Amino acid sequence: AVDLFVYRAVQGIGAMAATLGGLDGLVFTGGVGEHNAEIRARICRRLDWLGVAIDPQANAAAGERRIDAPTSCVSVWVIPADEEAQMARETAGLLWPRAQRAAPPARDPPKAHVDNLLD
């Protein structure tokens, strides 16, 4: 299953790179992309023909970070997904403020409203 996942990820990235005429950046996110250094390394090794190279220490670290090696032609990032917060922001944007519907909608709801939805 892991081999197939890596194969399909490389296949998709390769197809997009061919369509776009190259690759400037690559972002890993979501469960596997954020939390599995081995799979990120396997995907990136298969993309070395695009100039992708990662720093093993940066890849093994945690949190939001850049993991490409200094020799990489492509910037490679791990960016955590925060689906719950995004859904809360979208919901707050729809619900807040009901009393001020005549006013132009705020670009982003106040942080307090988002925090309340997350609680």
Side-chain angles (χ1 to χ4, degrees), residues 1-9 32 39 42:
V2 171
D3 289 342
L4 180 61
F5 179 86
V6 170
Y7 172 81
R8 295 288 185 160
V32 174
I39 289 179
R42 288 176 64 179

Side-chain angles (χ1 to χ4, degrees), residues 11-65:
Q11 184 180 43
I13 295 165
M16 287 184 270
T19 300
L20 296 170
L23 193 62
D24 295 323
L26 179 61
V27 176
F28 290 95
T29 193
V32 174
E34 288 176 51
H35 304 294
N36 197 313
E38 178 188 347
I39 289 179
R40 286 191 303 267
R42 288 176 64 179
I43 290 170
C44 289
R45 270 194 301 274
R46 301 267 313 263
L47 297 172
D48 65 344
W49 62 277
L50 282 169
V52 175
I54 59 171
D55 177 324
Q57 288 180 318
N59 186 39
E64 184 171 331
R65 65 205 178 279

Side-chain angles (χ1 to χ4, degrees), residues 2 17 55 66 76 84 97 99 106 113 119:
V2 171
D55 177 324
R66 189 170 180 170
V76 184
E84 278 187 2
H113 291 286
D119 287 339

